[in-house]
Amino acid sequence: MAYEAGRSFPNAEALNLLHAVGFDVLYVVTGVRNGAALSNEDSSLLADLNQVDEKGRTLAVTTMRSLLDTYKRLS
Protein backbone atom coordinates (compact mmCIF):
# COMPACT_ATOMS: atom_id res chain seq x y z
CA MET A 1 0.00 0.00 0.00
CA ALA A 2 1.26 3.47 -0.82
CA TYR A 3 0.47 4.68 2.71
CA GLU A 4 2.69 2.06 4.30
CA ALA A 5 5.53 2.81 1.90
CA GLY A 6 5.32 6.55 2.63
CA ARG A 7 4.54 7.40 -1.01
CA SER A 8 1.02 8.64 -0.24
CA PHE A 9 -0.91 9.93 2.76
CA PRO A 10 -4.61 9.57 3.62
CA ASN A 11 -6.75 12.68 3.17
CA ALA A 12 -9.46 13.76 5.61
CA GLU A 13 -12.11 11.71 3.83
CA ALA A 14 -9.99 8.55 4.04
CA LEU A 15 -9.24 9.21 7.72
CA ASN A 16 -12.94 9.66 8.42
CA LEU A 17 -13.73 6.34 6.72
CA LEU A 18 -10.98 4.62 8.71
CA HIS A 19 -12.38 6.07 11.94
CA ALA A 20 -15.89 4.92 11.01
CA VAL A 21 -14.72 1.31 10.88
CA GLY A 22 -12.83 1.52 14.16
CA PHE A 23 -9.29 2.63 13.34
CA ASP A 24 -7.42 4.80 15.83
CA VAL A 25 -6.87 7.76 13.50
CA LEU A 26 -4.46 9.46 15.90
CA TYR A 27 -2.24 6.37 15.63
CA VAL A 28 -2.56 6.30 11.83
CA VAL A 29 -1.43 9.93 11.62
CA THR A 30 1.12 10.16 14.46
CA GLY A 31 2.03 6.63 15.49
CA VAL A 32 0.83 7.41 19.04
CA ARG A 33 -2.03 5.35 20.42
CA ASN A 34 -5.00 7.29 21.76
CA GLY A 35 -5.74 5.58 25.07
CA ALA A 36 -8.71 7.85 25.65
CA ALA A 37 -10.42 6.98 22.36
CA LEU A 38 -14.07 6.04 22.60
CA SER A 39 -15.54 3.13 20.71
CA ASN A 40 -17.83 3.98 17.82
CA GLU A 41 -20.80 2.82 19.92
CA ASP A 42 -19.78 5.08 22.83
CA SER A 43 -19.26 8.02 20.48
CA SER A 44 -22.66 7.44 18.89
CA LEU A 45 -24.36 7.28 22.30
CA LEU A 46 -22.71 10.53 23.41
CA ALA A 47 -23.67 12.22 20.14
CA ASP A 48 -27.30 11.18 20.71
CA LEU A 49 -27.14 12.43 24.30
CA ASN A 50 -25.88 15.80 23.09
CA GLN A 51 -28.95 16.17 20.86
CA VAL A 52 -31.47 16.29 23.72
CA ASP A 53 -32.33 19.24 25.95
CA GLU A 54 -31.06 19.58 29.53
CA LYS A 55 -34.11 17.84 31.01
CA GLY A 56 -33.67 14.84 28.70
CA ARG A 57 -29.95 14.75 29.37
CA THR A 58 -30.50 14.75 33.14
CA LEU A 59 -33.06 11.96 32.81
CA ALA A 60 -30.76 9.86 30.61
CA VAL A 61 -27.70 10.29 32.86
CA THR A 62 -29.67 9.61 36.06
CA THR A 63 -31.23 6.50 34.54
CA MET A 64 -27.88 5.21 33.27
CA ARG A 65 -26.19 5.76 36.63
CA SER A 66 -29.02 3.93 38.41
CA LEU A 67 -28.78 0.98 36.00
CA LEU A 68 -25.00 0.80 36.39
CA ASP A 69 -25.22 0.94 40.20
CA THR A 70 -27.76 -1.91 40.15
CA TYR A 71 -25.57 -3.92 37.77
CA LYS A 72 -22.50 -3.46 40.00
CA ARG A 73 -24.42 -4.58 43.08
CA LEU A 74 -25.66 -7.70 41.28
CA SER A 75 -22.27 -8.62 39.83
Side-chain angles (χ1 to χ4, degrees), residues 1-15 18 28-29:
M1 181 176 214
Y3 296 155
E4 293 169 346
R7 293 188 309 264
S8 178
F9 300 95
N11 62 19
E13 183 179 353
L15 291 172
L18 290 170
V28 171
V29 173

Side-chain angles (χ1 to χ4, degrees), residues 5-37:
R7 293 188 309 264
S8 178
F9 300 95
N11 62 19
E13 183 179 353
L15 291 172
N16 188 43
L17 290 171
L18 290 170
H19 173 70
V21 296
F23 279 80
D24 180 349
V25 174
L26 180 65
Y27 180 75
V28 171
V29 173
T30 68
V32 176
R33 296 233 181 252
N34 184 357

Side-chain angles (χ1 to χ4, degrees), residues 15-25 36-48:
L15 291 172
N16 188 43
L17 290 171
L18 290 170
H19 173 70
V21 296
F23 279 80
D24 180 349
V25 174
L38 297 175
S39 69
N40 287 343
E41 184 177 20
D42 291 346
S43 293
S44 176
L45 180 61
L46 287 174
D48 290 344

